[in-house]
Amino acid sequence: MPQSSALISGVQSLVLYETRARYFVVGSNQAQTKHRVLKIDRTEPKDLVIIDDKHVYSQQEIRELLGRLDLGNRTKIGQKGSSGLSRAVSAYGIVGFVRFLEGYYIVLITKRRKMADIGGHSIYKVEDTSMIYIPNDSVRLTHPDEARYVRIFQNVDLSSNFYFSYSYDLSHSLQYNLTLLQRPWELSSMAEPSVDEEHRSHSHQDSFDIFEDEGLPMHVVNGLKNQPYFKYVWNGKLLERVEDIVHHDWLTYIIHGFCGQSKLVIYGRPVHVTLIARRSSRFAGTRFLKRGANCEGDVANEVETEQIIHDASVMSFTAGSYSSYVQVRGSVPLYWSQDISTMMPKPPIRLDQADPYAYVAALHFDQMLQRFGSPIIILNLVKKREKRKHEKILSEELYPAVINLNQFLPPEHCIDYIAWDMARYTKSKLCNVLDRLSMIAENVVKRTGFFVNRSDFYCHTLRPDERWGDVGGHITSTGRLQTGVLRTNCVDCLDRTNTAQFMVGKCALAYQLYALGLIDKPKLQFDTDCVRLFEELYEDHGDTLSLQYGGSQLVHRVKTYRKIAPWTQHSKDIMQTLSRYYSNAFSDADRQDAINLFLQVYQPSELRPHLWELPTDFYLHHKNSMALDQERRSYTYWWSEGVLSFLPVPYDEVSCEDNMKKVKVKRVNRYDEVIDIYTEFFKPYELTSFDDTFCIAMTNSAREFRPKTVGVDPSPFTVRKPEETGKSVLGNKSVKEEAVVQRKTAASAPPPPSEEAISSTSEDDSEED
């Protein structure tokens, strides 16, 4: 039986051919050696009829098939000069199928750009899409409002921060994906029926059987295709109509958020630092229109941020060294909103619904226990002392809710609550905000631990550190697992939250590098090439998420809280504030309509009011407002069945029957293209140049951050002087590039001479009111 596992890649390129009666979608693997065909009927005015024969064609077979289709359609229609089968468009994947008031459209990815590489699996950004109407003009039933719905749908800019991968599951964490690959003894028993069923269904076709031809069990491995975590998938509803009809190779799931990767060079050794942010597709929307939580426990602006560190000199998941750390941001899980009818920069906060038993918070934290395990640590950064109660309303409601939920949990798995008024501390001349955040970060990382797919190296015995023994998480024979997660929030979950997450990420990064044997102690300092590179990634991450939710880039950055921002930064901050206010006041309603239509929260129909006629979208996101629940959850046993028995390990990652049903397993040849990451990464069949290779072109700490005159110390962990860094980074660049680099390196200047710092524990702060 096969004892190793690999991730299966799907269709990587496709061509859409058309006739008067049908569309033919021909999908291929990257090497163009295997092909699949979808047939889409164009004679149905409103229904979607798709046929997938599930057969894998060779290059010769697909050429012959297209020739027969061309000849047959030309003869039928009586065309002599022109072809009966015409090529409509080339694409890289199917986003989905959508229908408004007329027939269905197919949305295709027509342009892509590589953004990251994880273990040989490429991650792409959608650069452009094409939306094609399926029914033929002769059967089209026109509707006067169709064009308006198309415009609203296209307001969701798919070329802006949507990402996908053909083989790597972006909706799950690296810990989940690699834990799944380490279960060959369980997956082997599942692989047999999968393969037999496939061969039985295609027995009438001359399909290629690797087991008969090879006869070598050592060349057979388990190919895995996992069901995505649909909370972070943005085209799940668009593919829902066809996911049971077509082969899973056709399904390309996209996430929304941020993805960035940079290379940290340690004495010539490449280490890739990757940041992936997954934005929740549930209760999604814009800043003032989506606040708090809906009736199912999904909160507004929920983003899962994962930082992945791996030694790029070995790219295989089985042989390489990988580490990841996950944290979450999201709105306060209560029923609350802000009244935007008044043109105010900060509309008053109101609690919309009484929730004395913390029902909605229980639903939210139940989701988190299932996905992350325990402990769940809440870092609440909202203000606690205000002349007029504004943000404080949320804290006064959230803290009793957490106390109420904790009384039913076992003490070792209770939710931790840390309240810290970050805005007030920033105004204090006696407090260094980032020092305080680093104390909280150290405590958090030690409690949750982080994921490493390798057991401890011998260098940890040679260079021991007393902090290493205190790191929590779940230790296994193959490495470490992160158990639990930090959930950070302020009111908007933008500026303060991003800085807090950066400090926690910086602390975790030190432990990750130490775990991989790359530094001698788990501590990183500001003003080093390594931290500058990481800070730039987090700044881009924060700007991107802020634009998506708030309509402007970050107003307060890490350098703002270090109190080293130049005077020019203040004018930029004012402009960003005005931009955010304008966006919230005038364009957010249109963006919210577009998101509701894209995510199919609202589905157009002749029997209901149009989207632009709705006075509110409240009932679209709160399903219980239209019908009473038949079964109401318990207020005391508020977690899902089975969750507590596996804590602190998350229920989603244990090998139980429910989880194994989500995995498709197929036995394939070790050298088959669907699992061959060597062929996907290096493309030996193409003529390429090193300059075009992604891993060479990406941001590089030695090229972009290290001074030219480093002397005898090229280490990325050495503290640099700001003027030295400025000269080296800004050398031989255009004026425009200089401005960009200055913006990105200004955060690395040293702090002013520190006055006496206020040092107190987070527990003291949470009770000082």
Side-chain angles (χ1 to χ4, degrees), residues 462-598:
L462 292 175
R463 294 175 297 187
D465 191 280
E466 64 275 5
R467 285 169 293 195
W468 184 241
D470 299 333
V471 177
H474 183 65
I475 300 174
T476 66
S477 58
T478 55
R480 293 171 175 266
L481 297 179
Q482 178 180 343
T483 58
V485 74
L486 173 70
R487 185 197 189 280
T488 312
N489 73 268
C490 49
V491 174
D492 296 327
C493 305
L494 297 179
D495 300 4
R496 282 172 277 179
T497 298
N498 200 69
T499 300
Q501 285 197 326
F502 165 74
M503 290 303 296
V504 176
K506 172 177 167 284
C507 177
L509 176 66
Y511 279 97
Q512 289 175 283
L513 291 171
Y514 180 78
L516 298 180
L518 299 171
I519 53 177
D520 59 351
K521 57 184 178 183
K523 192 76 176 172
L524 291 174
Q525 293 179 296
F526 275 104
D527 310 317
T528 59
D529 299 344
C530 173
V531 173
R532 277 198 190 98
L533 178 142
F534 190 65
E535 188 177 310
E536 182 185 86
L537 266 180
Y538 248 97
E539 188 173 294
D540 291 346
H541 159 268
D543 282 340
T544 304
L545 298 180
S546 185
L547 277 166
Q548 291 166 13
Y549 185 63
S552 77
Q553 294 185 333
L554 291 173
V555 176
H556 302 300
R557 304 170 182 276
V558 176
K559 58 179 171 288
T560 310
Y561 291 103
R562 290 185 73 186
K563 300 182 181 178
I564 55 158
W567 282 105
T568 53
Q569 185 64 39
H570 297 304
S571 60
K572 290 179 185 176
D573 290 349
I574 293 169
M575 290 305 297
Q576 294 296 354
T577 305
L578 292 174
S579 171
R580 190 176 290 184
Y581 173 65
Y582 175 85
S583 174
N584 299 154
F586 300 107
S587 64
D588 275 6
D590 293 336
R591 287 171 59 208
Q592 184 66 57
D593 284 348
I595 290 170
N596 289 341
L597 191 61
F598 184 84

Side-chain angles (χ1 to χ4, degrees), residues 242-500:
V242 299
E243 63 184 2
D244 295 328
I245 303 170
V246 303
H247 192 274
H248 55 73
D249 282 357
W250 288 103
L251 303 175
T252 302
Y253 295 105
I254 60 175
I255 66 164
H256 186 37
F258 173 81
C259 178
Q261 188 173 57
S262 298
K263 185 194 294 183
L264 178 66
V265 181
I266 306 174
Y267 295 106
R269 186 177 185 178
V271 176
H272 286 180
V273 181
T274 313
L275 204 60
I276 299 173
R278 307 173 184 92
R279 191 175 206 85
S280 172
S281 62
R282 297 176 187 167
F283 205 51
T286 54
R287 185 180 174 207
F288 286 134
L289 297 177
K290 286 292 161 281
R291 293 296 212 190
N294 66 4
C295 61
E296 295 171 354
D298 304 306
V299 297
N301 196 27
E302 184 170 9
V303 184
E304 180 180 302
T305 301
E306 179 180 24
Q307 60 188 58
I308 300 172
I309 316 297
H310 77 273
D311 187 345
S313 52
V314 182
M315 70 179 186
S316 164
F317 275 151
T318 51
S321 300
Y322 292 81
S323 176
S324 75
Y325 183 76
V326 178
Q327 48 186 323
V328 178
R329 67 171 72 179
S331 191
V332 178
L334 305 167
Y335 289 121
W336 67 280
S337 63
Q338 286 180 270
D339 183 12
I340 56 170
S341 59
T342 57
M343 298 289 285
M344 297 172 60
K346 289 186 179 180
I349 291 173
R350 64 186 183 195
L351 296 171
D352 298 327
Q353 196 172 325
D355 191 9
Y357 299 104
Y359 179 74
V360 67
L363 290 170
H364 178 67
F365 291 120
D366 179 34
Q367 288 181 16
M368 296 192 73
L369 285 172
Q370 285 188 63
R371 185 158 171 85
F372 303 109
S374 68
I376 291 170
I377 304 170
I378 301 169
L379 177 56
N380 187 13
L381 302 174
V382 303
K383 295 175 183 175
K384 294 192 295 183
R385 292 186 178 179
E386 297 173 301
K387 293 178 182 177
R388 181 173 58 85
K389 275 175 70 170
H390 181 62
E391 296 184 12
K392 189 178 178 183
I393 296 170
L394 300 175
S395 290
E396 289 178 345
E397 193 75 13
L398 178 62
Y399 184 61
V402 173
I403 295 295
N404 181 59
L405 297 177
N406 274 343
Q407 64 183 327
F408 307 112
L409 280 174
E412 66 272 19
H413 301 310
C414 279
I415 300 167
D416 277 10
Y417 181 83
I418 302 172
W420 185 52
D421 189 342
M422 186 169 168
R424 183 173 66 86
Y425 267 66
T426 306
K427 295 173 185 175
S428 168
K429 294 181 179 179
L430 302 176
C431 177
N432 188 324
V433 173
L434 298 191
D435 279 356
R436 184 55 193 282
L437 279 174
S438 66
M439 290 167 55
I440 295 172
E442 188 82 22
N443 178 39
V444 166
V445 174
K446 280 185 177 178
R447 292 207 56 199
T448 62
F450 52 93
F451 170 72
V452 187
N453 74 329
R454 287 271 167 271
S455 51
D456 287 359
F457 289 101
Y458 184 61
C459 61
H460 300 144
T461 308
L462 292 175
R463 294 175 297 187
D465 191 280
E466 64 275 5
R467 285 169 293 195
W468 184 241
D470 299 333
V471 177
H474 183 65
I475 300 174
T476 66
S477 58
T478 55
R480 293 171 175 266
L481 297 179
Q482 178 180 343
T483 58
V485 74
L486 173 70
R487 185 197 189 280
T488 312
N489 73 268
C490 49
V491 174
D492 296 327
C493 305
L494 297 179
D495 300 4
R496 282 172 277 179
T497 298
N498 200 69
T499 300

